[in-house]
Amino acid sequence: MSRGSGGGYDRHITIFSPEGRLFQVEYAFKAVKAAGVTSIGDKLLDPTSVTHLFPITKFLGLLATGTTADARTLVQQARNEAAEFRFKYGYEMPVDVLAKWIADKSQVYTQHAYMRPLGVVSMVLGLDDEFGPRLFKCDPAGHFFGHKATSAGLKEQEAINFLEKKMKNDPSFSYEETVQTAISALQSVLQEDFKATEIEVGVVREGNPVFRVLSTEEIDEHLTAISERD
Amino acid sequence: MASIGTGYDLSVTTFSPDGRVFQIEYAAKAVDNSGTVIGIKCKDGIVMGVEKLITSKMMLPGSNRRIHSVHRHSGMAVAGLAADGRQIVARAKAEAANYESTYGEPIPIKELTERVASYVHLCTLYWWLRPFGCGVILGGYDRDGPQLYMIEPSGISYRYFGAAIGKGKQAAKTEIEKLKLSEMTCREGVLEIAKIIYRVHDEAKDKAFELEMSWVCDESKRRHEKVPEELLVGAKAAAVAALEEMDAD
């Protein structure tokens, strides 16, 4: 793989390589994949303190994949921003506005040399007043797109392939089917059965637009339903 | 596994080609070179202990404190660069005071940890700052009971039942895993921690060390304090005895 001949500087701060690439941004993407699975194997660690799902407001949730420390910083800022929005404009910050804000902030890091991009891919979810349930994914480059289904992390490509097959004909899933599709996607790419305590699931649904993390019992029910279905 | 950064390790704002920030990893190495620091969560509180390596015989015992009280109900044990540690402690004290003056109640330990971790993380984002070369074990007792957190130089923090950082952390963690922490009181915890620190202390590499311990528990009325003198003396004696017994085997 040929590296740019820009004298190596393009790899230290975010400037263009001779081919027009931003190496530091590309490396930030690698950091998301490199973060891998958190060290749950440590018996002394309290597992309830390990989470990648963060409520931003009562109605907005954020799933952070990548470097945990960077994710926490992002979450703090996002919470602040969402609270200020609510105060300034008198209504809850919509999902796409939050996603755009996160993306704009990430873009600044790719342009200013004094800060590095955050090694986090964030998926923002919520229930929009006009458009219903919405899911956005923001990455270190400052891109953000709305998705019907998506994935991030080490096995993201396999998960996305799985989801594409399921969502090909634009099906309209019920709530249970949606949750079970997500959990099945995880099962298929990790290729091993996991217990309800080993995954976390966050949902927003019509009729109950509050962002909620499912309890272990609820996850168990879904796991049982999936195995019965197969 | 020591991989050389070669050019990607000069600044904290540089990612390596495999997505690592080497400066943060090097900062963690500074922690690994320090004397062992242990914290455990017992059923009625937290106990923390530090293996203070003595560099000079001229030093007064009791000086060079490694455990600091942050607030009435919480304390921090620092491993790594001591000067960096003082900055973190100062910041934690300021955060705790600020919270209390704004909200009128002592800062919840979880909130304190998040603020301190945020601050540590901040210093991994700008090129004009370097990461803190120290890891912190934070223990406290609030409305939700006793809690133990560890903050790494990367700004990551998790809650633990037992944690160890510094030179002997691997050996210490193995020992801590053997303990039944949920059934132990802090009194017993003090003895256990003393034993562990004496055991993981490397006589060959480092000569003398001083044991510093603190606790925050029901017995100390939920205040973070140094472990009482007689208990500390008893713990040290028990630890030395246990070590001799082990050597005799």
Side-chain angles (χ1 to χ4, degrees):
Chain A
M1 181 187 129
S2 62
R3 293 285 166 86
S5 53
Y9 238 107
D10 42 1
R11 284 165 226 161
H12 295 172
I13 51 178
T14 12
I15 58 177
F16 285 110
S17 77
E19 300 94 42
R21 294 163 70 175
L22 291 171
F23 276 107
Q24 277 297 298
V25 177
E26 297 183 17
Y27 295 166
F29 275 88
K30 299 258 175 72
V32 175
K33 302 222 170 158
V37 185
T38 356
S39 53
I40 314 280
D42 191 350
K43 273 187 270 177
L44 296 175
L45 176 60
D46 182 346
T48 59
S49 73
V50 180
T51 177
H52 294 103
L53 276 172
F54 302 94
I56 303 296
T57 67
K58 219 165 95 171
F59 305 100
L60 289 176
L62 192 151
L63 171 67
T65 315
T67 331
T68 319
D70 290 0
R72 302 251 179 103
T73 297
L74 183 62
V75 166
Q76 287 281 65
Q77 292 175 332
R79 283 177 176 165
N80 198 38
E81 194 59 31
E84 272 185 22
F85 185 99
R86 173 70 185 77
F87 177 71
K88 260 199 326 197
Y89 301 109
Y91 72 102
E92 292 293 332
M93 194 177 204
V95 197
D96 54 337
V97 176
L98 178 64
K100 182 157 189 293
W101 181 83
I102 293 178
D104 285 345
K105 229 176 192 296
S106 307
Q107 191 279 335
V108 172
Y109 301 155
T110 70
Q111 213 170 1
H112 280 244
Y114 73 102
M115 276 191 74
R116 61 172 175 82
L118 295 178
V120 191
V121 163
S122 14
M123 290 195 240
V124 193
L125 54 143
L127 203 55
D128 189 286
D129 284 336
E130 297 169 52
F131 299 107
R134 300 191 96 189
L135 169 69
F136 284 87
K137 184 163 85 166
C138 321
D139 60 29
H143 293 132
F144 80 106
F145 296 110
H147 292 271
K148 293 201 187 104
T150 185
S151 159
L154 197 53
K155 299 249 172 86
E156 65 182 21
Q157 205 38 59
E158 289 108 316
I160 290 179
N161 293 343
F162 177 93
L163 290 168
E164 276 178 4
K165 275 193 241 152
K166 290 262 165 173
M167 314 272 302
K168 212 166 25 178
N169 306 313
D170 202 6
S172 55
F173 286 143
S174 69
Y175 164 72
E176 280 78 25
E177 288 172 313
T178 314
V179 178
Q180 282 160 28
T181 310
I183 299 182
S184 316
L186 270 182
Q187 273 178 334
S188 99
V189 300
L190 295 176
Q191 259 144 28
E192 57 177 60
D193 289 320
F194 35 71
K195 303 196 280 269
T197 45
E198 290 173 347
I199 58 171
E200 37 176 6
V201 182
V203 297
V204 282
R205 55 186 297 194
E206 262 171 30
N208 189 14
V210 172
F211 172 73
R212 208 166 62 84
V213 177
L214 296 187
S215 68
T216 325
E217 292 83 24
E218 289 171 300
I219 299 181
D220 244 329
E221 280 174 20
H222 287 291
L223 284 173
T224 325
I226 293 173
S227 57
E228 278 172 13
R229 209 184 50 200
D230 291 339
Chain B
M1 177 210 93
S3 43
I4 314 166
T6 342
Y8 297 105
D9 55 354
L10 298 169
S11 161
V12 81
T13 52
T14 305
F15 279 107
S16 76
D18 39 358
R20 297 154 69 177
V21 182
F22 277 104
Q23 275 294 300
I24 300 182
E25 298 191 12
Y26 295 168
K29 296 228 173 91
V31 181
D32 286 340
N33 288 337
S34 136
T36 316
V37 174
I38 303 181
I40 56 172
K41 178 176 124 141
C42 306
K43 70 178 178 196
D44 61 339
I46 309 281
V47 185
M48 294 190 283
V50 177
E51 170 204 16
K52 265 191 335 198
L53 299 167
I54 299 184
T55 42
S56 155
K57 293 205 178 101
M58 296 294 168
M59 233 171 66
L60 278 175
S63 63
N64 196 20
R65 285 197 63 82
R66 297 275 294 279
I67 306 185
H68 302 88
S69 274
V70 171
H71 202 60
R72 281 182 296 281
H73 61 12
S74 50
M76 271 185 174
V78 177
L81 302 175
D84 287 12
R86 270 199 294 281
Q87 282 297 317
I88 299 190
V89 171
R91 179 75 187 204
K93 288 180 175 170
E95 293 283 3
N98 174 279
Y99 184 98
E100 181 145 17
S101 99
T102 311
Y103 298 103
E105 60 153 26
I107 186 169
I109 311 298
K110 182 163 195 287
E111 180 65 33
L112 176 63
T113 308
E114 283 186 5
R115 289 189 184 196
V116 175
S118 264
Y119 180 63
V120 171
H121 178 245
L122 193 76
C123 301
T124 68
L125 290 175
Y126 296 89
W127 68 255
W128 63 66
L129 293 171
R130 63 162 173 81
F132 281 107
C134 45
V136 163
I137 293 189
L138 207 169
Y141 202 144
D142 64 17
R143 273 198 254 173
D144 300 316
Q147 289 153 70
L148 181 71
Y149 289 91
M150 179 164 86
I151 306 174
E152 299 165 27
S154 57
I156 295 183
S157 70
Y158 289 121
R159 194 164 55 236
Y160 289 84
F161 304 119
I165 43 182
K167 280 198 174 104
K169 69 171 186 228
Q170 275 311 113
K173 278 201 225 178
T174 324
E175 295 297 322
I176 297 176
E177 280 177 18
K178 296 183 193 157
L179 303 172
K180 287 211 175 55
L181 292 171
S182 50
E183 295 163 18
M184 203 182 281
T185 63
C186 280
R187 278 216 154 231
E188 294 160 353
V190 169
L191 291 165
E192 293 301 332
I193 290 214
K195 278 194 221 156
I196 295 176
I197 291 197
Y198 271 79
R199 193 172 309 169
V200 305
H201 173 68
D202 191 339
E203 271 302 322
K205 291 218 194 104
D206 315 302
K207 297 291 172 330
F209 79 100
E210 193 190 328
L211 177 64
E212 188 179 325
M213 291 186 70
S214 79
W215 66 0
V216 52
C217 55
D218 290 333
E219 208 180 310
S220 74
K221 300 204 186 33
R222 301 200 183 182
R223 300 171 81 93
H224 179 254
E225 330 179 305
K226 277 173 26 174
V227 164
E229 199 52 42
E230 359 78 53
L231 186 56
L232 190 58
V233 165
K236 285 184 187 172
V240 170
L243 208 55
E244 280 166 8
E245 196 185 295
M246 217 183 67
D247 286 341
D249 289 338

